[in-house]
Amino acid sequence: MQICCRRETLLEGSIVFMEKNKIILDTDPGNDDLLAIIMALKSDLIEVRGLTIVGGNASLENTTNNALSLLTYMDRIEVPVYVGDSSALNEISTSAEEFDDFKSHRIEIHGETGLHVPLPKSNIEPKEMHAVDFIISEAESNKGALSLVPIGPLTNIAMAIKKEPNLANWIQGIHLMGGAINVPGNVTQYAEFNIYCDPVAANEVLSSGIKIKLCGLDITRGTFVEREDTNWLGGNSLGEQLIRHLLDSVFKKLPDRNRFSLHDPITVLSVLYPELIEWEMYDVSVVCSGPNFGQTIGTPNAEGSVAVGVNIDRELAKLKISEILAT
Ligand code: BDR
Ligand code: CA
């Protein structure tokens, strides 16, 4: 169990106290969510206040069970889990045919249960409080010090912003995985998965005026582990063993895929090393109907509130992720 909330670093002979980054990880595990959660749990510069769960890569029930099982596996059962929304908006906003396509896409990428790797049955339960209320109460009691890190559909975050108008002033900012500003989408030609799941929520979050760092496909898709990259994680920590197993199983189950993109891990990395990413200020809106459903439209604006990741030092990012996972 981690009990320390500060890290001491020796810098030119003096001791410097570094505050940990307090975060709530809003997640829909999800293969790459798994890596991101393990990173956040392992980093000695992050304090995970809780996991809030959203449906997306699988049903809410499955994503919740996956989060609980992962914490059990990692022996981190003190980290609280709060269940949020199932994020099924797309079910009512898209045609039956489009929704079927979407479901096959997510099953192909993440399997029926959301994960391509088995985890032990969890021996913990989620907390009773709704995820949205947890987000609000943590933001209020950690004013100015809490960042939200959504790596799934943005439903819970939008609900929290709507329910508590002060939330925007209480949080430090949002680092989110979603969107495709200057590149094509991955669910459709226009839409990235997390945004496609709930474009209305995404639009509300992105236009909220809150300081956002947007880690979209522009920087995440091209940062990947390759099929033959078997030495990427060389150690034997619990996390590394699980991720090796996961990558192995993903590449076996998807013989046509040679790359595993590090979408969600890069978003956690952006909290720790924002300097590895080149950011440009934009206004971002989301198309909520019609053929471009789920498209994120970015308009450059130096005064905008959304810093869009437009470039990344891929090799260094991969190295940093592997170093954190090795701890
Ligand atoms: C995003 O969609 C999900 O499938 C991944 O977990 C990631 O958050 C990438 O488009
Ligand atoms: Ca995710």
Side-chain angles (χ1 to χ4, degrees), residues 28 32-33 57 110 151-152 177 186 192-194 217 263-264:
D28 61 334
D32 63 322
D33 297 69
N57 286 323
H110 293 276
I151 53 174
M177 194 287 131
N186 58 357
E192 179 279 328
F193 181 91
N194 289 340
L217 296 181
H263 304 291
D264 294 343

Side-chain angles (χ1 to χ4, degrees), residues 280-294:
E280 280 177 7
M281 299 312 294
Y282 279 78
D283 286 326
V284 179
S285 61
V286 183
V287 179
C288 295
S289 61
N292 293 28
F293 183 88

Side-chain angles (χ1 to χ4, degrees), residues 34-55:
L34 212 76
L35 275 75
I37 298 170
I38 297 173
M39 275 176 76
L41 295 175
K42 297 307 278 184
S43 167
D44 59 0
L45 289 176
I46 287 183
E47 180 184 344
V48 182
R49 303 290 303 166
L51 302 183
T52 52
I53 310 298
V54 64

Side-chain angles (χ1 to χ4, degrees), residues 2 45 63 72 98 120 123 129 149 161 179 185 196 240 243 252 254 268 298 312 316:
Q2 290 193 336
L45 289 176
T63 55
T72 304
E98 282 167 331
N123 52 20
M129 187 186 264
V149 185
I161 293 172
Y196 183 87
E240 286 172 299
I243 294 163
K252 275 197 183 115
L254 303 171
V268 171
I312 184 165
L316 196 50

